[in-house]
Amino acid sequence: MNLRSSWVAEIGQTREDTRLTQIGATTPANPLEARSGILPGSYDGQYRLSGFWVEGHAGTMNATVHEGRAVIQADANQGVYPVALAEPFALTFADGQAQDRYDMVVLRIYDDLYDDSGETKAAVEIVQGTPAADPVAPALPDIVLPICQVRVRAGVSAGSGGINWNKDAVDLRTPTVAVGGILPVVGDTGNGAYPGQYRDSGGALQRWDGSAWVSYPSALGGIAPAGAVTTASYTGQYRDSSTGQLQRWNGSTWVSYQPVPTWTDYTPKWGAETGTQPSVGNGVLAGSYVKTGTLVHVRIYLKIGSTTNLSAQAANGNWNFSLPVPPVSTTWKLDGRVLNVLGFDASTGLQYPGSGLLATTGGGTVRSLRESLKQANAFWDKGFPFAWAANDVLSIHGTYESAS
């Protein structure tokens, strides 16, 4: 095997070994350690990562590990080992056993000064797993870089069709680049090492902001594309949502920057200023509203039922109805502000247009309902503007400014 390494063997390191393995690739993992990984690149420029690619051969238990260069980080006080495989290397997996197992293809460093292995070398190896009904990946020795996981099915062999390389081999290679370089995303690249580090996610350039990878230039005020940012880097950042809606980060969550108006149902409270309070019985009392900022559109619907307690109410009860949110209390904004009111007498088919004043009492109400086309000095209740009965309808609608 023509796997070269630097600064492992006590004697015998050649100039060629040194030239091949002077990689200059140490993406920081912390102030003292480097990120283990494989240098990116391919012969024709079509692939992000071609080094140490494990190519399985159909119908066999054999695979080829292709040439490449990598660095492997040991303990912090031990340092990082550069390695280079200058030519393809053949591997043969052991036949399957009574149950499935996972085997791992790894790059491994032996350094007798630290591990008492009796050897000082770099190697491409298969770490064989333990057969089980529900197998797990084997424990790996120290100073290794996993490059492929292979599921060896029970009883599989070259005579039975070999390993299904398309289904049972999982590429575990991850890249590394020189400090300051843009890291290509292949597999899980993990967290960044420092704010200002960059990576290429395949569809967007991303920057590590200290807690998350943020699509660039969204961190500088651009609109992040849909799916690129989960948690924003700062209050006021914008993103395009998966539904095509512009969203703004308010410091704790994403909110629609231009909300799409939707109606929300609520149940108004029907009250009277004097006498017995109204009870709708088997009638219908319902409401809905849209709130955009402090702008509120509201509609209230009352249909008198046969068991509505009209007879128990006072003749001058003066009806009122609760609003979904309180109106603004500023005098000039509230004084004289009205909602539209319409009464329908089902027995005659006549409609009575009117208006109702906004008030802040009770958390917000519309009160003092009265006709708008006459000067009748009376507020609406069970006997005005007509004698209310079953199937008569009162509707209220309009727009007002809310308190918040």
Side-chain angles (χ1 to χ4, degrees):
M1 176 175 59
N2 193 12
L3 182 65
R4 311 292 187 96
S5 62
S6 295
W7 319 120
V8 178
E10 294 178 1
I11 59 173
Q13 179 172 321
T14 69
R15 293 184 179 89
E16 192 176 57
D17 290 334
T18 305
R19 288 195 302 270
L20 282 169
T21 58
Q22 291 313 296
I23 294 167
T26 53
T27 299
N30 55 48
L32 196 57
E33 296 179 308
R35 169 190 170 85
S36 295
I38 296 165
L39 268 69
S42 59
Y43 288 112
D44 51 13
Q46 293 187 32
Y47 305 102
R48 290 172 172 263
L49 203 62
S50 63
F52 294 98
W53 171 45
V54 178
E55 179 186 13
H57 302 298
T60 73
M61 304 295 288
N62 303 324
T64 297
V65 181
H66 288 272
E67 61 273 23
R69 297 183 295 170
V71 293
I72 306 172
Q73 175 68 52
D75 289 340
N77 63 347
Q78 191 170 338
V80 63
Y81 294 83
V83 299
L85 182 62
E87 59 189 24
F89 178 69
L91 291 174
T92 299
F93 289 79
D95 290 347
Q97 297 164 278
Q99 295 177 308
D100 291 6
R101 70 172 192 271
Y102 282 115
D103 289 355
M104 302 286 285
V105 182
V106 301
L107 302 181
R108 181 177 181 182
I109 296 294
Y110 291 84
D111 191 340
D112 183 58
L113 183 63
Y114 293 92
D115 59 20
D116 296 323
S117 63
E119 298 185 274
T120 51
K121 67 177 185 178
V124 177
E125 294 184 346
I126 297 173
V127 180
Q128 186 170 305
T130 301
D134 187 14
V136 296
L140 298 180
D142 294 335
I143 322 180
V144 298
L145 177 62
I147 57 177
C148 188
Q149 176 180 279
V150 178
R151 183 163 189 154
V152 180
R153 302 283 176 173
V156 71
S157 66
S160 64
I163 293 170
N164 185 337
W165 296 102
N166 292 327
K167 180 179 179 181
D168 291 335
V170 178
D171 188 3
L172 300 179
R173 296 173 300 158
T174 54
T176 192
V177 293
V179 62
I182 295 175
L183 187 70
V185 175
V186 177
D188 180 16
T189 64
N191 291 339
Y194 54 89
Q197 185 178 4
Y198 287 86
R199 74 177 186 180
D200 182 352
S201 67
L205 186 63
Q206 297 178 324
R207 178 184 180 275
W208 180 256
D209 70 355
S211 60
W213 289 105
V214 179
S215 292
Y216 181 85
S218 61
L220 301 179
I223 296 174
V229 177
T230 301
T231 301
S233 300
Y234 56 89
T235 300
Q237 185 175 359
Y238 289 87
R239 74 173 184 182
D240 180 21
S241 71
S242 59
T243 60
Q245 190 176 45
L246 185 63
Q247 295 179 324
R248 180 183 182 275
W249 182 258
N250 68 3
S252 59
T253 189
W254 292 101
V255 294
S256 296
Y257 177 61
Q258 295 176 318
V260 177
T262 56
W263 288 94
T264 301
D265 292 341
Y266 86 106
T267 302
K269 293 180 180 178
W270 179 21
E273 294 184 4
T274 60
T276 301
Q277 294 300 301
S279 175
V280 71
N282 62 356
V284 178
L285 178 61
S288 61
Y289 69 98
V290 174
K291 186 176 186 297
T292 305
T294 59
L295 179 67
V296 180
H297 303 281
V298 64
R299 55 194 183 197
I300 298 170
Y301 175 85
L302 169 66
K303 185 174 184 178
I304 304 297
S306 61
T307 61
T308 301
N309 69 339
L310 292 173
S311 60
Q313 297 179 33
N316 59 346
N318 301 343
W319 291 343
N320 58 65
F321 297 86
S322 66
L323 296 171
V325 292
V328 65
S329 59
T330 305
T331 301
W332 73 267
K333 291 185 177 183
L334 184 65
D335 192 22
R337 304 300 186 192
V338 298
L339 296 179
N340 295 312
V341 180
L342 185 67
F344 174 69
D345 184 350
S347 64
T348 64
L350 297 178
Q351 293 182 339
Y352 296 78
S355 62
L357 289 173
L358 291 173
T360 58
T361 55
T365 58
V366 52
R367 59 183 295 273
S368 300
L369 279 59
R370 62 191 308 167
E371 288 185 88
S372 59
L373 298 182
K374 295 197 302 182
Q375 296 298 317
N377 189 23
F379 298 126
W380 290 15
D381 49 40
K382 72 173 186 178
F384 199 82
F386 54 87
W388 293 82
N391 296 319
D392 292 343
V393 173
L394 172 67
S395 63
I396 301 172
H397 69 278
T399 301
Y400 67 94
E401 182 181 352
S402 67
S404 60

